[in-house]
Amino acid sequence: EDIIQDLNEKGIIFGIDRDKIKEMVQGSMYNQDIVIARGKPPINGDDAKVVYIFSDESDVSIPGTIGENGRIDYKTLNKIRNVRTGDLLIEIVPPTQGISGTDVYGNEIVAKKGNPVIIRKGKNVKEGKNGLKIYATRDGEVCFKDNTIYVNEVITIDGDIDNETGNIQFNGKVNIRGNVKSGFRVEADGDIEIFGVVEGATLISGGDIVVHRGIQGNGQAYLCSSGNFKSKYIENACIKSAGDVEADVILHSDITAQSGIIASGRKGLIVGGNIKAGKKVRAKVLGSNMGTSTVIEVGIDPGERDNYEQLKKEIEGVRKSIEDSKKAIDLLNKMAKQQQLAKDKEEILAKLLITHETLKKKYRTLTEEIQVLLKKFQNCRGGKIYASAVIYPGVRAVIGNSVRQIYDELHNSTLYVKDGEVTVGPYEK
């Protein structure tokens, strides 16, 4: 009690270890330092933290994407961090105040507050009501640089699309300064603009596609545009466009355009392949003096024509199934007349009869669908084919349901349907 009283007289009132003092007195512990009072240290606050909802860093240890089978796809590197409008990008965990301590004199030891974090907001982002969450206001790629977060609606690849970049999949517009190498894929919700050459690659765009130099597809290139399509030249490629397709030269390619296909420029040449346009095909030269087979189809929506071809295949398959089921039914009925069918054969016959009736109904439905299309095709006479210079033999012109094979050179001509036949008229500008 004397020691504690002496400590209190000296102002030491907090953290006194009474048990230690009792042990010291009873044990006659002299000439050594003994802690008999200890203050409570403060607990400093935690610094603010940033939680990245998007992937902040790619795993450079894996040179690709691991598929379900465990194999690595070396072309899918997932280097672009795509986000959609309204996506949460980052969440800030605010700093804590900390817990104050007390010294042995009973004085408060103030805890150090945690340091805040400053995130600057760039373009196409916004913060939530409490300022602790940041959201995207546009589709695109989220970027975080120098404590600034922003969303790019356009990405630019300064070089080629190859093993270094991998495949590209982006929510906005893609600009590619170099070439797109064979075997690689570029997908964009917006436009795709390429300043080099496209090889045997796949390009799918939710907007326009522009190829400044050209396409050398080697029979492997597939390019699909939800808008217009423009290229310097197109060779050995498959092109689909929801608008117009325009190029100076089109060689040995399958081109489908909902609106028009135009070979403009100095050469204005279309040779070989299958050319399908909903409204018109315009060029200087169609075909070649070598008689290269070139099919030009206009006047019918290419999507409906594809649907027609698919229906024909489906009808033929159903017709064959009906014939096969009829043969099996006839055989089982014949067996039933000669002798009583076993129970399992009776069940098979019952199932076959149901299947046969279902197939006949499907056949009737498909036939009605194809008849509707055929009637629509017969009324399609608005498409035209224009050639300001020459149409060579070897060209097959299809306008609606009318067909004309060209056997002699036609100069400065327009092909159109009159009285159900493909007719040759003067060139119309």
Side-chain angles (χ1 to χ4, degrees), residues 33-247:
D33 291 332
I34 299 171
V35 177
I36 56 173
R38 188 186 301 274
K40 179 183 177 183
I43 300 175
N44 292 330
D46 295 325
D47 292 341
K49 296 177 182 178
V50 178
V51 179
Y52 297 92
I53 309 302
F54 62 92
S55 175
D56 186 36
E57 294 181 358
S58 59
D59 189 350
V60 296
S61 66
I62 301 176
T65 301
I66 301 176
E68 293 181 359
N69 58 2
R71 302 182 68 178
I72 297 177
D73 178 0
Y74 293 97
K75 293 180 180 178
T76 303
L77 305 182
N78 293 329
K79 287 188 173 183
I80 298 174
R81 298 169 296 198
N82 288 295
V83 294
R84 295 287 186 186
T85 301
D87 281 356
L88 176 62
L89 304 179
I90 60 174
E91 187 171 358
I92 299 171
V93 179
T96 59
Q97 294 294 321
I99 301 173
S100 296
T102 307
D103 65 15
V104 293
Y105 298 102
N107 300 317
E108 180 186 13
I109 304 175
V110 180
K112 183 180 178 182
K113 296 179 181 179
N115 295 316
V117 63
I118 298 175
I119 303 294
R120 291 185 290 271
K121 294 173 289 299
K123 61 182 181 180
N124 301 326
V125 298
K126 68 175 182 179
E127 63 181 25
K129 292 181 180 180
N130 58 8
L132 299 178
K133 294 181 179 180
I134 297 179
Y135 299 87
T137 60
R138 291 286 189 275
D139 294 350
E141 180 190 24
V142 58
C143 301
F144 191 74
K145 185 177 180 181
D146 298 330
N147 271 13
T148 300
I149 189 166
Y150 55 97
V151 174
N152 269 336
E153 296 178 88
V154 180
I155 63 166
T156 299
I157 309 298
D158 289 326
D160 297 338
I161 301 299
D162 52 19
N163 286 315
E164 184 175 348
T165 62
N167 295 329
I168 300 296
Q169 185 173 6
F170 183 52
N171 293 337
K173 178 182 177 182
V174 177
N175 291 330
I176 299 168
R177 299 292 178 186
N179 306 320
V180 182
K181 299 294 185 178
S182 292
F184 287 89
R185 185 181 186 94
V186 178
E187 292 185 61
D189 287 358
D191 299 341
I192 298 176
E193 187 170 6
I194 298 162
F195 292 85
V197 174
V198 175
E199 298 178 2
T202 298
L203 275 68
I204 299 175
S205 167
D208 298 339
I209 294 180
V210 178
V211 184
H212 287 277
R213 290 185 61 185
I215 301 164
Q216 179 52 265
N218 300 316
Q220 299 175 334
Y222 174 76
L223 298 91
C224 181
S225 166
S226 296
N228 295 319
F229 187 99
K230 189 173 183 179
S231 178
K232 182 68 175 175
Y233 69 88
I234 301 169
E235 185 173 356
N236 290 309
C238 179
I239 311 292
K240 289 189 177 182
S241 170
D244 291 327
V245 172
E246 185 176 349

Side-chain angles (χ1 to χ4, degrees), residues 1 56 68 86 89 187 265 273 289 307 376 380 420:
E1 271 41 352
D56 186 36
E68 293 181 359
L89 304 179
E187 292 185 61
N289 56 11
N307 187 28
K376 190 174 183 179
C380 291

Side-chain angles (χ1 to χ4, degrees), residues 316-343:
E316 180 58 27
V318 172
R319 186 193 62 78
K320 189 175 184 306
S321 296
I322 290 173
E323 290 179 356
D324 292 341
S325 63
K326 182 68 167 58
K327 288 177 183 178
I329 290 169
D330 290 344
L331 178 61
L332 289 172
N333 282 330
K334 186 177 179 181
M335 291 172 62
K337 290 179 181 179
Q338 294 174 355
Q339 58 182 355
Q340 188 175 2
L341 283 178
K343 188 175 181 179

Side-chain angles (χ1 to χ4, degrees), residues 292-359:
T292 304
S293 176
T294 307
V295 179
I296 311 290
E297 300 182 19
V298 297
I300 293 177
D301 186 314
E304 290 184 343
R305 186 178 287 280
D306 290 343
N307 187 28
Y308 172 75
E309 296 298 331
Q310 183 62 36
L311 280 172
K312 283 204 306 184
K313 292 179 182 178
E314 195 171 352
I315 285 174
E316 180 58 27
V318 172
R319 186 193 62 78
K320 189 175 184 306
S321 296
I322 290 173
E323 290 179 356
D324 292 341
S325 63
K326 182 68 167 58
K327 288 177 183 178
I329 290 169
D330 290 344
L331 178 61
L332 289 172
N333 282 330
K334 186 177 179 181
M335 291 172 62
K337 290 179 181 179
Q338 294 174 355
Q339 58 182 355
Q340 188 175 2
L341 283 178
K343 188 175 181 179
D344 60 335
K345 293 286 195 301
E346 288 179 354
E347 291 176 355
I348 293 173
L349 178 58
K351 290 179 181 178
L352 278 172
L353 289 169
I354 295 172
T355 301
H356 187 70
E357 287 303 315
T358 302
L359 287 169

Side-chain angles (χ1 to χ4, degrees), residues 270-297:
I270 298 177
V271 178
N274 293 282
I275 310 298
K276 301 176 184 178
K279 297 179 180 178
K280 64 182 178 180
V281 172
R282 186 182 291 274
K284 288 183 179 179
V285 178
L286 293 174
S288 73
N289 56 11
M290 301 294 291
T292 304
S293 176
T294 307
V295 179
I296 311 290
E297 300 182 19

